[in-house]
């Protein structure tokens, strides 16, 4: 499978929470290889990374993922979450987690205010609306009991941040409420949104897998559509493991996997 520098590609970014750092490594490699893109379709973390791809701001994406922590995404204690993800649970931690668990139950999920704050800083709605890159992403509405494919440029003004957060609402998070409706992670509708691109006529598509949770919507691929699939060469971290060093390792893995995959396969 060859890739042509003279063509423009559309990217599919799968949902996968903390594994999303891998996608930024892929993006860095594609940028260095001179591979151009004109559209991005993402779910959950793929939608957030897609927003930065729509802005063509790789430096911002690298800055965010190279310094990510649990508490920058959700209202939790970094040290405690790091120990939990390692499987280390000490009796003296019980008091802290009992109080936190009560708060989470009362609030119907972990607060994602830190993620919203970060999203509002990183996703410039005007830049995305005026970009030469089209951004599509999915969200699942629990009120309507149906999923949606959203076009960032067609959303009502002022709603982009809400809907990006809705797409990224993992099951442990508080559900996003907007205009009287509640939303849950787009992975409940389509965690690998190839359909959003195929249905809009894109012919050259690069799919970046993360193998997170969610439904993969069946999409009939026309014969004239070319799909290149990039996959991690190693098992990635838990979808909630927002550890800084693991994130940096996943960026490096995505970069190296992409460089290796396309070695000797680039024309144009």
């Amino acid at each position: 499978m060859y890739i042509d520098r003279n063509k423009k590609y559309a990217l599919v970014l799968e949902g996968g929470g903390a594994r999303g750092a891998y996608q930024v490594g892929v993006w860095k490699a594609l940028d260095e290889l001179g591979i151009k893109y004109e559209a991005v379709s993402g779910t959950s973390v793929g939608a957030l990374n897609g927003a930065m791809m729509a802005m063509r701001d790789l430096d911002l994406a690298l800055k965010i993922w190279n310094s990510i922590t649990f508490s920058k995404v959700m209202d939790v204690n970094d040290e405690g979450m790091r120990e939990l993800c390692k499987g280390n649970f000490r009796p003296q931690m019980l008091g802290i987690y009992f109080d936190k668990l009560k708060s989470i139950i009362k609030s119907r999920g972990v607060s994602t205010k830190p993620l919203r704050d970060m999203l509002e800083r990183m996703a410039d709605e005007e830049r995305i609306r005026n970009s030469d890159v089209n951004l599509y992403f999915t969200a699942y509405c629990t009120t309507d009991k149906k999923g949606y494919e959203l076009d960032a440029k067609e959303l009502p003004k002022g709603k982009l941040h809400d809907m990006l957060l809705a797409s990224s609402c993992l099951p442990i998070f508080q559900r996003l409420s907007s205009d009287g409706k509640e939303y849950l992670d787009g992975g409940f509708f389509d965690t690998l949104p190839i359909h959003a691109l195929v249905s809009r006529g894109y012919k050259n598509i690069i799919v970046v897998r993360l193998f997170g949770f969610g439904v993969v919507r069946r999409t009939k691929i026309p014969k004239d559509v070319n799909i290149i699939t990039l996959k991690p060469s190693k098992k990635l971290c838990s979808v909630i493991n927002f550890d800084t060093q693991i994130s940096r390792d996943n960026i490096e893995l995505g970069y190296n996997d992409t460089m290796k995959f396309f070695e000797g396969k680039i024309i144009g």
Side-chain angles (χ1 to χ4, degrees):
M1 177 66 72
Y2 287 86
I3 192 163
D4 190 345
R5 286 195 182 100
N6 294 317
K7 294 181 178 180
K8 289 185 179 181
Y9 291 81
L11 278 81
V12 177
L13 303 180
E14 184 175 8
R19 300 176 184 184
Y22 182 87
Q23 295 170 341
V24 177
V26 171
W27 179 12
K28 183 174 184 285
L30 293 176
D31 184 68
E32 290 186 13
L33 293 170
I35 307 305
K36 298 180 284 292
Y37 63 91
E38 60 181 344
V40 184
S41 176
T43 292
S44 195
V45 71
L48 302 184
N49 285 334
M52 291 184 284
M53 290 195 78
M55 297 191 304
R56 296 194 181 279
D57 202 335
L58 176 58
D59 288 342
L60 175 62
L62 288 168
K63 179 180 178 181
I64 287 174
W65 282 102
N66 272 309
S67 61
I68 201 75
T69 62
F70 297 92
S71 61
K72 288 182 179 179
V73 177
M74 46 190 162
D75 183 18
V76 294
N77 175 272
D78 283 322
E79 183 180 357
M81 285 298 297
R82 193 177 299 112
E83 292 302 306
L84 276 180
C85 286
K86 290 178 181 178
N88 300 330
F89 187 84
R90 300 186 300 275
Q92 55 265 41
M93 297 164 66
L94 273 173
I96 298 173
Y97 285 110
F98 181 72
D99 290 339
K100 192 65 181 177
L101 183 59
K102 286 195 300 182
S103 173
I104 290 170
I105 293 172
K106 184 177 180 180
S107 302
R108 297 173 60 204
V110 180
S111 170
T112 54
K113 185 180 183 304
L115 178 59
R116 174 178 281 281
D117 291 344
M118 180 168 63
L119 176 60
E120 290 179 353
R121 291 193 302 271
M122 79 180 202
D124 187 317
E125 182 172 350
E126 286 305 306
R127 284 179 66 185
I128 292 170
R129 285 184 179 277
N130 296 324
S131 175
D132 62 332
V133 179
N134 292 320
L135 171 63
Y136 311 102
F137 59 98
T138 65
Y140 182 79
C141 180
T142 57
T143 306
D144 297 342
K145 295 182 172 57
K146 64 183 293 187
Y148 293 94
E149 283 180 354
L150 304 171
D151 181 334
K153 294 180 180 180
E154 293 182 356
L155 289 172
K157 286 191 175 181
K159 286 296 178 182
L160 180 60
H161 291 156
D162 271 359
M163 291 298 98
L164 284 172
L165 193 60
S167 181
S168 312
C169 194
L170 292 169
I172 66 167
F173 294 163
Q174 291 175 359
R175 294 184 183 183
L176 187 284
S177 295
S178 181
D179 295 331
K181 295 185 178 183
E182 286 192 341
Y183 292 86
L184 200 54
D185 196 280
F188 284 92
F189 170 56
D190 188 3
T191 193
L192 192 68
I194 298 173
H195 180 271
L197 298 177
V198 171
S199 65
R200 289 171 171 84
Y202 293 96
K203 304 298 183 184
N204 299 296
I205 299 173
I206 299 173
V207 176
V208 185
R209 299 299 313 264
L210 295 180
F211 301 103
F213 82 94
V215 175
V216 176
R217 182 179 180 182
R218 289 188 177 183
T219 301
K220 185 176 181 180
I221 308 299
K223 291 182 179 179
D224 62 343
V225 172
N226 302 307
I227 293 184
I228 297 171
T229 301
L230 301 174
K231 303 176 182 179
S233 58
K234 298 178 183 178
K235 185 176 179 180
L236 299 178
C237 63
S238 159
V239 297
I240 62 167
N241 195 348
F242 292 94
D243 177 81
T244 306
Q245 187 55 55
I246 289 176
S247 177
R248 292 172 180 172
D249 291 343
N250 285 339
I251 292 172
E252 184 177 3
L253 182 65
Y255 176 85
N256 290 335
D257 282 353
T258 305
M259 285 299 198
K260 184 176 181 180
F261 182 88
F262 287 122
E263 187 176 359
K265 299 177 183 177
I266 297 179
I267 58 176

